[in-house]
């Protein structure tokens, strides 16, 4: 397999306000993030040679990319849609990077956009997947909730200890979200509040579940050797990894619900491409897929941030908090920034991009002198994982 | 020698204290409790349960016919017995037919199966009856009716009870009926229908069959007389000259209820479970006339069979706490709608997936042995393509591997879904919903078994699939 390390750079990014955007359509959200990205990169629509769109649930299936191209008046260029559960925007970004690395294009766009709040109901609805019978009553919290009890049992946590450990992740992400103007939620919560919240899918309570939001994020990508023509502080693609487990975890013989191959392999491929040996030490900031608190915990261990069974110690010591050894989800994560499915991967990358440039919107949430950051989404029941590692220096 | 080769009952786990019904209407309870189908049960699913209990570990490919009887069949047009036969993983060549329209459908069906085997047309015939009838809210029937099922396997080899003869009479009378648009059972004046309908014809058919076969009441070991209520049953027994203490099979009214077409077969099943070699059983059932049959118990009855007895099914129960939710489960009240579904059923998809979703077939790779449900054409483990055997796994025991109590996925009147991953015998993983279970009692490694249930309604037809539940049928697998 080849390597795109330092061949491609992001020279502009935009991110819409996330939340219940009753005022904004799918198209409005795309315009909001794309025009911020144009301005940031100093380009216009005429400079874009191809566009990759991350979009899951446009009002009618299968039309997402054309809706966005039409909204942005992208003319005479390829517009390609990616749809891969929650990794949608990451894979759109990675595809765009690969296209530039191939030498075919100089400047391209990757944009993720999702409008969830036009459905008339909260949440993503019941029944997920392909089979109307087998997966009829599957829900997102139900699927991820299945991880929790196995984790508690394997590592000897009582239900109470387990729930408290998860709640601490929620408290951290709410604390981070409170400082993030574009996030969906800005409320700080106490451990007690998290523990006493209504149960959604036991042991996951309300605050263990991410926000159901509208939003969009966009990146302008170019060849690394041209990046400084656009701006003095481009952010370079250091490595990526995408991995898919070949059977729904629920059905997979022998699966322990702890060792997610998709997480392990996607992160390791990205580390290898980026030349990272010890992610816990070498990464300065990470945005990972906290659709539910238990997912964030599983990622700590599958990504090698924490040793197996030891995530609790790192959570208790604040290792992943703002100012800790490896701040995770410093913008509030999916928990507070919100999770418009097809936009999230680019939103997380937006945060890493800003952090690596030292341009976090509020100084108190700027990580000190970061060099390497990771963004990640984990999609499906869960089954597919995508990782991007970015750096602010070549080499 | 034609007779009953096997038998098995089914009573839903849920019971409703009749006092809850009575209190809601300011009436007196008739006492005891009634069985009630869960929100995911109907006459098809209950028949599957009873038939699985009856078939036990018998070779299903030997069954040559299957009849289903009910007055509450989920489909009015479309054969219900083909669905049940498919779910039971019977051969496609099996003869099927539905019986209905009368409470006598259960015995009529049994008689037809016995005659089929006796004539030599078939060697093994499975029959199952189930009902879940609705009395008007507040009515006596609402309290006395119960939901249940029973199945009988008729055959020509080694019967546990031989078929000795039958006698039938018809009665044309508007006594108990439902018009096509009726949800609830209608009845004419009580004294008229009991005196001139039920009691008169039951007396006549019992006397008639005794006379036909030159028997006296004292020759009968157990008389099996389904009845609409306890008082009517008691009066009938007395007038026929049977000893209520020794000769009479419990009519199951007090703690189960009157289960329509299934009642005769449920009581027959209960009688066989306690019978001794040489016993003579007399079964008579009313519905627009009456059928009577005589069976003689053989020494095969003592052979131990791993089935779940009626007594155990009665004992193994969950008291249902709410009359309002009972009404909602039966579509009498419309509760606030829950979360909408994203996956819409398609008859085409259901048809294509029938081997896994109905027959409960898993794939077992011929190269590496890896078993997966539903069937995977490319092996998950070794990626061999189209090189597998289909294996029925509905009868495999399992244990909970992991679970969560999901408050989003359920119906609004039955909101908690226990999403469960179970490991079945052979290392196979099964993902499903746990039913018939208090959510707080689920634990890792809890023994579970598969049960066929309704999943949801959509596209104008019923959607069924397998669920998990705490072991109840048990050894009957």
């Amino acid at each position: 397999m080849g390597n795109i390390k330092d061949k491609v750079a992001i020279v502009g990014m935009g991110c819409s306000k996330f939340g219940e955007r009753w005022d904004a359509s799918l198209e409005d959200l795309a315009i909001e993030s794309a025009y911020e990205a144009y301005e940031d990169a100093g380009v216009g629509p005429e400079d874009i040679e191809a566009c990759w769109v991350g979009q899951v649930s446009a009002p009618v299936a299968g039309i997402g990319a054309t809706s966005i191209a039409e909204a942005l008046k992208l003319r005479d260029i390829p517009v390609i849609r990616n749809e891969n559960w929650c990794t949608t925007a990451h894979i759109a970004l990675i595809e765009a990077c690969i296209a530039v690395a191939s030498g075919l294009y100089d400047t391209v766009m990757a944009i993720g956009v999702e409008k969830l709040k036009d459905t008339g109901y909260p949440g993503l609805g019941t029944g997920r997947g392909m089979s109307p019978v087998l997966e009829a009553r599957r829900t997102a919290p139900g699927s991820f909730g299945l991880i929790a009890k196995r984790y508690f049992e394997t590592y000897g946590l009582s239900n109470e200890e387990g729930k408290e450990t998860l709640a601490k992740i929620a408290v951290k992400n709410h604390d981070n979200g409170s400082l993030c103007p574009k996030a969906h939620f800005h409320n700080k919560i106490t451990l007690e509040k998290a523990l006493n919240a209504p149960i959604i899918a036991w042991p996951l309570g309300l605050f263990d579940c991410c926000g159901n939001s509208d939003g969009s994020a966009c990146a302008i990508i170019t060849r690394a050797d041209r990046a400084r023509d656009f701006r003095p502080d481009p952010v370079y693609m250091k490595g990526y990894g995408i991995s898919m487990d070949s059977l729904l975890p629920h059905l997979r013989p022998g699966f322990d619900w702890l060792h997610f191959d998709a997480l392990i392999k996607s992160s390791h491929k990205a580390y290898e491409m980026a030349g990272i040996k010890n992610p816990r030490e070498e990464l300065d900031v990470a945005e990972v897929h906290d659709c539910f608190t238990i997912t964030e915990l599983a990622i700590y261990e599958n990504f090698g941030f924490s040793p197996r069974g030891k995530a609790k110690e790192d959570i208790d010591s604040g290792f992943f908090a703002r100012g800790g050894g490896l701040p995770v989800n410093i913008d509030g994560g999916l928990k507070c920034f919100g999770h418009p499915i097809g936009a999230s991967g680019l939103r997380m990358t937006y945060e890493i991009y800003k952090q690596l440039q030292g341009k976090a919107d509020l100084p108190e949430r700027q990580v000190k002198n970061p060099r390497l950051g990771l963004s990640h989404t984990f999609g499906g029941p869960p089954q597919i994982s995508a990782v991007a590692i970015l750096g602010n220096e070549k080499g | 020698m034609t007779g009953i080769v096997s038998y098995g009952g089914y009573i839903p786990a849920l019971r409703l204290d009749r006092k809850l019904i009575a209190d809601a209407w300011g009436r007196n309870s008739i006492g005891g409790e009634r069985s009630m189908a869960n929100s995911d049960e109907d006459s098809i699913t209950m028949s599957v349960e009873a038939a699985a209990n009856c078939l036990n570990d018998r070779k299903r490919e030997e069954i040559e016919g299957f009849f289903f009887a009910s007055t509450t069949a989920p489909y009015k047009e479309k054969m219900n017995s083909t669905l049940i036969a498919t779910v039971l993983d019977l051969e496609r060549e099996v003869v099927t037919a539905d019986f209905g329209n009368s409470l006598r459908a259960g015995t009529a069906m049994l008689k037809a199966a016995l005659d089929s085997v006796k004539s030599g047309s078939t060697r093994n015939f499975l029959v199952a009856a189930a009902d879940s009838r609705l009395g008007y809210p507040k009515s006596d029937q609402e309290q006395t009716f119960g939901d249940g099922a029973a199945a009988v396997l008729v055959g020509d080899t080694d019967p546990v009870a031989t078929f000795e003869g039958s006698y039938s009479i018809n009665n044309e009378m508007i006594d108990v009926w439902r018009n096509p648009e009726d949800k609830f059972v209608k009845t004419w004046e009580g004294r008229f229908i009991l005196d001139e309908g039920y009691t008169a014809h039951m007396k006549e058919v019992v006397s008639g069959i005794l006379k036909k076969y030159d028997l006296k009441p004292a020759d009968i070991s157990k008389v099996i007389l389904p009845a609409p209520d306890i008082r009517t049953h008691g009066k009938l027994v007395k007038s026929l000259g049977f000893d209520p203490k020794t000769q009479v099979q419990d009519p199951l009214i007090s703690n189960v209820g009157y289960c329509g077409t299934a009642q005769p077969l449920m009581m027959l099943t209960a009688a066989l479970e306690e019978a001794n070699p040489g016993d003579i059983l007399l079964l008579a059932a009313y519905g627009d006339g009456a059928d009577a049959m005589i069976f003689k118990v053989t020494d095969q009855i003592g052979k131990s069979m791993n089935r779940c007895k009626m007594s155990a099914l009665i004992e193994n129960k969950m008291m249902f706490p709410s009359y309002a939710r009972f009404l909602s489960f039966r579509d009498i009240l419309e509760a606030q709608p829950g979360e909408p579904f994203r996956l819409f059923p398609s008859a085409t998809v259901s048809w294509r997936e029938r081997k896994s979703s109905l027959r409960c077939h898993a794939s077992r790779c011929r190269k590496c042995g890896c078993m997966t449900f539903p069937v995977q054409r490319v092996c998950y483990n070794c990626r061999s393509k189209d090189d597998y055997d289909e294996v029925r796994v509905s009868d495999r025991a399992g244990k909970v591997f992991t679970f969560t109590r999901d408050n989003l996925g359920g119906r609004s009147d039955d909101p908690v879904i226990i999403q469960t991953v179970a490991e079945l015998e052979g290392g196979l993983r099964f993902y499903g919903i746990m039913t018939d279970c208090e959510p707080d009692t689920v634990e890792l490694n809890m023994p579970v078994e598969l049960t066929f249930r309704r999943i949801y309604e959509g596209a104008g037809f019923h959607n069924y699939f397998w669920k998990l539940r705490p072991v109840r049928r048990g050894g009957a697998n």
Side-chain angles (χ1 to χ4, degrees), chain B residues 12-265:
Chain B
L14 299 188
R15 304 300 149 77
L16 189 63
D17 188 333
R18 289 177 172 128
K19 198 169 177 305
L20 289 179
I21 306 174
D23 287 352
W25 296 103
R27 300 191 68 203
N28 289 326
S29 165
I30 64 164
E33 62 212 30
R34 56 157 294 178
S35 59
M36 63 171 273
N38 207 334
S39 61
D40 55 6
E41 292 187 289
D42 63 18
S43 292
I44 282 181
T45 67
M46 292 192 293
S47 289
V48 171
E49 284 284 353
N53 197 9
C54 169
L55 284 175
N56 207 290
D57 49 7
R58 275 173 197 281
K59 288 196 176 121
R60 299 194 183 188
E61 56 272 27
E62 288 174 1
I63 308 297
E64 295 177 7
F66 175 70
F67 289 155
F68 165 67
S70 179
T71 67
T72 51
Y75 288 107
K76 270 188 181 147
E77 178 166 347
K78 195 207 115 43
M79 205 184 271
N80 298 275
S81 48
T82 54
L83 172 53
I84 301 168
T86 304
V87 172
L88 292 171
D89 205 23
L90 303 184
E91 298 288 305
R92 287 187 54 227
E93 290 83 357
V94 76
V95 174
T96 54
D98 289 359
F99 288 65
N101 292 76
S102 169
L103 295 190
R104 204 143 56 95
T107 45
M109 164 181 80
L110 177 59
K111 174 76 166 37
L114 287 161
D115 287 344
S116 171
V117 172
K118 202 171 172 182
S119 73
S121 170
T122 53
R123 286 168 295 176
N124 277 297
F125 218 112
L126 179 67
V127 301
D131 249 331
S132 175
R133 295 158 75 226
L134 293 176
Y136 278 100
K138 185 184 170 181
S139 69
D140 289 347
Q141 281 95 339
E142 191 182 34
Q143 292 193 37
T144 51
F145 286 177
D147 302 330
V152 171
L153 179 61
V154 172
D156 61 2
T157 310
D158 297 335
V160 295
T162 53
F163 176 49
E164 299 292 325
S166 66
Y167 179 64
S168 296
I169 43 173
N170 285 303
N171 174 41
E172 175 45 39
M173 176 190 267
I174 309 294
D175 55 354
V176 178
W177 77 101
R178 261 181 286 154
N179 297 314
E181 66 278 13
D182 288 337
K183 196 171 227 173
F184 306 109
V185 171
K186 285 177 152 55
T187 55
W188 200 257
E189 186 187 349
R191 281 212 303 282
F192 166 66
I193 67 170
L194 290 178
D195 290 354
E196 295 302 323
Y198 176 84
T199 307
H201 291 83
M202 287 293 273
K203 276 165 85 168
E204 188 181 346
V205 85
V206 171
S207 310
I209 198 169
L210 290 173
K211 191 174 167 205
K212 183 175 172 185
Y213 296 101
D214 198 19
L215 294 162
K216 302 183 295 297
D219 297 327
I220 305 300
S221 318
K222 273 278 155 63
V223 63
I224 301 157
L225 304 171
D229 64 79
I230 291 172
R231 190 158 160 266
T232 306
H233 181 259
K235 276 169 67 180
L236 176 67
V237 165
K238 205 171 161 192
S239 70
L240 286 167
F242 293 104
D243 177 1
K245 290 209 174 67
T246 60
Q247 282 183 289
V248 179
Q249 185 63 33
D250 173 12
L252 299 173
I253 301 284
S254 64
N255 51 3
V256 178
Y258 185 44
C259 303
T261 54
Q263 197 80 351
L265 303 193

Side-chain angles (χ1 to χ4, degrees), chain A residues 13-19 21 24 28-34 36 112-114 181-184 214-218 337 340 343 347 350:
Chain A
M13 284 201 83
C15 179
S16 75
K17 169 81 177 80
F18 276 35
R21 295 291 307 273
D28 293 330
L29 294 165
I31 290 169
E32 201 172 316
S33 71
E36 185 191 335
V113 54
E114 204 76 58
K182 285 182 175 177
H184 185 164
D214 301 324
S216 175
C218 180
F337 211 103
R347 183 275 298 165
Y350 173 84

Side-chain angles (χ1 to χ4, degrees), chain A residues 85 124-140 142-144 146 244 247-251 257 379-383, chain B residues 340-345 349 353 356-357 373-374 376 406 408-410 417 419-420 430-433 455-456 463-467:
Chain A
W85 288 108
L124 295 176
T126 300
R128 300 175 60 70
M130 282 296 289
S131 170
V133 168
L134 178 69
E135 298 174 88
R137 291 205 180 264
R138 199 159 72 69
T139 64
S143 273
F144 285 85
L146 290 167
M244 161 90 192
L247 190 61
L248 201 66
H250 310 64
L251 313 177
W257 285 87
Q383 202 168 8
Chain B
F341 278 104
R342 288 157 54 104
L343 293 170
F344 300 103
V349 175
E353 293 180 348
S356 282
S357 57
F373 180 89
Q376 300 291 315
D406 185 340
L408 287 183
I417 291 252
Q419 307 274 5
T420 309
F430 183 92
Y431 163 61
I433 293 164
I455 285 281
Y456 68 113
N463 293 275
Y464 296 90
F465 189 55
W466 296 87
K467 289 189 180 180

Side-chain angles (χ1 to χ4, degrees), chain A residues 21-87:
Chain A
R21 295 291 307 273
W22 313 117
D23 62 314
S25 65
L26 190 74
E27 292 82 359
D28 293 330
L29 294 165
I31 290 169
E32 201 172 316
S33 71
Y35 277 77
E36 185 191 335
Y38 289 149
E39 195 187 335
D40 187 43
V43 301
E46 63 283 358
D47 299 309
I48 306 300
E49 297 166 56
C51 175
W52 277 261
V53 177
Q55 222 293 299
V56 174
S57 61
V60 179
I63 64 160
T66 56
S67 313
I68 303 313
E70 188 174 305
L72 299 176
K73 304 295 178 290
L74 297 176
R75 285 191 201 113
D76 308 326
I77 62 165
V79 179
I80 303 123
R81 179 181 180 181
N82 184 275
E83 180 191 321
N84 261 307
W85 288 108
C86 302
T87 61

Side-chain angles (χ1 to χ4, degrees), chain A residues 13 40 176-177 179-181 231 233-235 283-287 321-323 326-333 337 346-375 390-393:
Chain A
M13 284 201 83
D40 187 43
N176 288 341
L179 292 175
C180 203
R231 65 183 310 132
D233 53 357
V235 168
L283 288 171
D284 301 303
V285 58
E287 288 284 312
R322 208 170 55 248
L326 173 54
V328 171
N329 294 333
I330 196 163
D331 64 354
F337 211 103
L346 277 157
R347 183 275 298 165
M348 295 159 148
T349 305
Y350 173 84
E351 175 65 17
I352 298 298
Y353 168 86
K354 291 288 185 188
Q355 287 286 347
L356 291 174
Q357 291 175 331
K359 292 179 175 168
D361 36 25
L362 294 179
E364 52 264 54
R365 59 181 213 87
Q366 175 64 50
V367 176
K368 277 189 192 132
N369 306 318
R371 203 175 63 84
L372 280 175
L374 173 150
S375 70
L390 305 168
N392 52 13
E393 297 161 15

